[in-house]
Amino acid sequence: MSYGEAAARCDGGRFVAQLEELVNEYNIVFVSSAGNNGPALATGGAPGSTSIASIGVGAFVSPEMMKDEYSMRETVPENLYTWSSRGPTTNGALGVSICAPGGAIASVPQYELARGRLMNGTSMSSPNMAGGVALLLS
Protein backbone atom coordinates (compact mmCIF):
# COMPACT_ATOMS: atom_id res chain seq x y z
CA MET A 1 0.00 0.00 0.00
CA SER A 2 1.17 3.48 -0.71
CA TYR A 3 -0.43 5.63 1.90
CA GLY A 4 1.38 8.24 3.88
CA GLU A 5 1.02 11.19 6.16
CA ALA A 6 3.28 13.14 8.46
CA ALA A 7 3.49 11.68 11.95
CA ALA A 8 4.19 13.60 15.14
CA ARG A 9 4.74 10.40 17.12
CA CYS A 10 5.34 6.75 16.37
CA ASP A 11 2.67 4.08 16.63
CA GLY A 12 -0.13 6.57 17.12
CA GLY A 13 -3.32 7.63 15.43
CA ARG A 14 -6.51 5.96 14.23
CA PHE A 15 -5.01 4.47 11.07
CA VAL A 16 -2.12 2.86 12.95
CA ALA A 17 -4.57 1.42 15.51
CA GLN A 18 -6.62 -0.16 12.70
CA LEU A 19 -3.45 -1.39 11.00
CA GLU A 20 -2.20 -3.07 14.18
CA GLU A 21 -5.58 -4.75 14.66
CA LEU A 22 -5.53 -6.14 11.11
CA VAL A 23 -1.97 -7.39 11.42
CA ASN A 24 -2.21 -8.84 14.93
CA GLU A 25 -5.72 -10.31 14.87
CA TYR A 26 -6.10 -11.39 11.25
CA ASN A 27 -2.49 -12.25 10.33
CA ILE A 28 -2.36 -9.77 7.45
CA VAL A 29 1.05 -8.71 6.13
CA PHE A 30 1.04 -4.95 5.56
CA VAL A 31 3.67 -3.49 3.23
CA SER A 32 3.83 0.30 3.02
CA SER A 33 5.99 2.94 1.41
CA ALA A 34 8.37 4.61 3.86
CA GLY A 35 8.13 8.11 2.38
CA ASN A 36 10.19 10.44 0.22
CA ASN A 37 11.55 12.86 2.81
CA GLY A 38 15.20 11.71 2.95
CA PRO A 39 18.12 11.75 3.20
CA ALA A 40 18.05 12.78 6.87
CA LEU A 41 17.56 10.18 9.60
CA ALA A 42 14.12 9.67 11.17
CA THR A 43 12.29 11.04 8.10
CA GLY A 44 9.88 8.14 7.60
CA GLY A 45 6.18 8.85 7.28
CA ALA A 46 3.19 7.12 8.80
CA PRO A 47 2.31 4.31 8.67
CA GLY A 48 5.18 2.87 6.59
CA SER A 49 8.06 3.76 8.86
CA THR A 50 6.36 4.52 12.13
CA SER A 51 4.52 1.33 13.05
CA ILE A 52 6.04 -2.02 13.91
CA ALA A 53 2.90 -3.56 12.37
CA SER A 54 3.96 -2.62 8.83
CA ILE A 55 6.94 -3.42 6.66
CA GLY A 56 8.35 -0.02 5.67
CA VAL A 57 9.88 -0.01 2.18
CA GLY A 58 12.57 2.41 1.03
CA ALA A 59 13.63 3.10 -2.56
CA PHE A 60 16.84 1.43 -3.75
CA VAL A 61 19.04 2.23 -6.75
CA SER A 62 21.87 0.09 -8.16
CA PRO A 63 24.69 1.06 -10.55
CA GLU A 64 22.93 -0.87 -13.33
CA MET A 65 19.67 0.99 -12.70
CA MET A 66 21.47 4.35 -12.79
CA LYS A 67 23.12 3.46 -16.09
CA ASP A 68 19.96 2.13 -17.78
CA GLU A 69 17.42 4.57 -16.38
CA TYR A 70 19.39 7.78 -16.25
CA SER A 71 22.14 7.19 -18.85
CA MET A 72 24.86 7.76 -16.25
CA ARG A 73 28.39 6.88 -17.27
CA GLU A 74 29.83 7.27 -13.79
CA THR A 75 29.52 4.24 -11.53
CA VAL A 76 27.42 4.92 -8.47
CA PRO A 77 27.53 2.59 -5.45
CA GLU A 78 24.40 0.66 -4.47
CA ASN A 79 22.39 2.85 -2.15
CA LEU A 80 19.03 4.30 -1.23
CA TYR A 81 17.81 7.10 -3.46
CA THR A 82 18.69 10.40 -1.81
CA TRP A 83 15.02 11.29 -1.38
CA SER A 84 14.04 7.94 0.18
CA SER A 85 13.07 8.28 3.84
CA ARG A 86 15.22 6.61 6.46
CA GLY A 87 14.95 5.33 10.00
CA PRO A 88 15.25 4.97 12.85
CA THR A 89 11.94 6.18 14.21
CA THR A 90 11.80 8.52 17.16
CA ASN A 91 11.02 5.57 19.44
CA GLY A 92 14.10 3.67 18.25
CA ALA A 93 12.41 1.23 15.87
CA LEU A 94 14.11 0.36 12.58
CA GLY A 95 11.79 2.49 10.42
CA VAL A 96 12.69 1.30 6.94
CA SER A 97 12.64 -2.50 7.05
CA ILE A 98 13.68 -3.28 3.48
CA CYS A 99 14.34 -1.59 0.14
CA ALA A 100 13.15 -2.27 -3.40
CA PRO A 101 13.70 -0.62 -6.79
CA GLY A 102 12.07 2.79 -6.69
CA GLY A 103 13.01 4.56 -9.89
CA ALA A 104 11.73 4.71 -13.46
CA ILE A 105 8.87 2.32 -12.73
CA ALA A 106 5.97 2.20 -15.20
CA SER A 107 3.09 1.78 -12.76
CA VAL A 108 0.63 3.98 -14.63
CA PRO A 109 -2.38 1.94 -15.85
CA GLN A 110 -2.77 1.51 -19.60
CA TYR A 111 -6.11 3.35 -19.66
CA GLU A 112 -4.47 6.59 -18.47
CA LEU A 113 -3.51 9.24 -21.01
CA ALA A 114 0.04 9.30 -19.63
CA ARG A 115 0.56 5.55 -19.86
CA GLY A 116 4.20 5.82 -20.96
CA ARG A 117 5.12 7.86 -17.89
CA LEU A 118 7.86 6.57 -15.59
CA MET A 119 7.57 7.36 -11.90
CA ASN A 120 9.94 7.43 -8.92
CA GLY A 121 9.37 7.11 -5.20
CA THR A 122 8.76 4.71 -2.37
CA SER A 123 5.23 4.43 -3.77
CA MET A 124 6.88 2.49 -6.60
CA SER A 125 9.00 0.40 -4.21
CA SER A 126 6.11 -0.70 -2.03
CA PRO A 127 4.11 -2.59 -4.71
CA ASN A 128 7.33 -4.22 -5.89
CA MET A 129 8.00 -5.50 -2.38
CA ALA A 130 4.34 -6.48 -1.83
CA GLY A 131 4.61 -8.72 -4.90
CA GLY A 132 7.78 -10.29 -3.54
CA VAL A 133 6.15 -10.94 -0.18
CA ALA A 134 3.09 -12.46 -1.90
CA LEU A 135 5.38 -14.83 -3.82
CA LEU A 136 7.13 -15.89 -0.62
CA LEU A 137 3.81 -16.55 1.10
CA SER A 138 2.35 -18.53 -1.80
Side-chain angles (χ1 to χ4, degrees), residues 49-80:
S49 293
T50 61
S51 174
I52 58 171
S54 69
I55 299 172
V57 183
F60 171 81
V61 63
S62 70
E64 295 82 16
M65 289 169 60
M66 291 297 278
K67 180 183 173 196
D68 295 342
E69 296 166 5
Y70 303 107
S71 300
M72 289 193 63
R73 293 182 181 177
E74 181 181 334
T75 302
V76 178
E78 295 180 348
N79 206 347
L80 289 174

Side-chain angles (χ1 to χ4, degrees), residues 2 7-8 15-16 21 26 41-42 46 52 61 63 84-85 89-90 102 112 115 132 137:
S2 177
F15 186 84
V16 170
E21 179 181 342
Y26 300 103
L41 297 177
I52 58 171
V61 63
S84 183
S85 291
T89 62
T90 54
E112 290 288 330
R115 63 178 167 236
L137 293 174

Side-chain angles (χ1 to χ4, degrees), residues 20-134:
E20 290 174 351
E21 179 181 342
L22 287 170
V23 169
N24 295 329
E25 292 184 28
Y26 300 103
N27 294 322
I28 292 174
V29 177
F30 192 86
V31 179
S32 182
S33 53
N36 303 318
N37 299 317
L41 297 177
T43 53
S49 293
T50 61
S51 174
I52 58 171
S54 69
I55 299 172
V57 183
F60 171 81
V61 63
S62 70
E64 295 82 16
M65 289 169 60
M66 291 297 278
K67 180 183 173 196
D68 295 342
E69 296 166 5
Y70 303 107
S71 300
M72 289 193 63
R73 293 182 181 177
E74 181 181 334
T75 302
V76 178
E78 295 180 348
N79 206 347
L80 289 174
Y81 271 102
T82 55
W83 39 258
S84 183
S85 291
R86 288 151 167 81
T89 62
T90 54
N91 69 354
L94 183 60
V96 177
S97 304
I98 197 162
C99 294
I105 307 291
S107 64
V108 180
Q110 290 295 315
Y111 57 80
E112 290 288 330
L113 294 176
R115 63 178 167 236
R117 186 171 149 202
L118 297 177
M119 301 178 75
N120 298 317
T122 57
S123 293
M124 305 301 107
S125 303
S126 179
N128 187 318
M129 186 54 57
V133 169

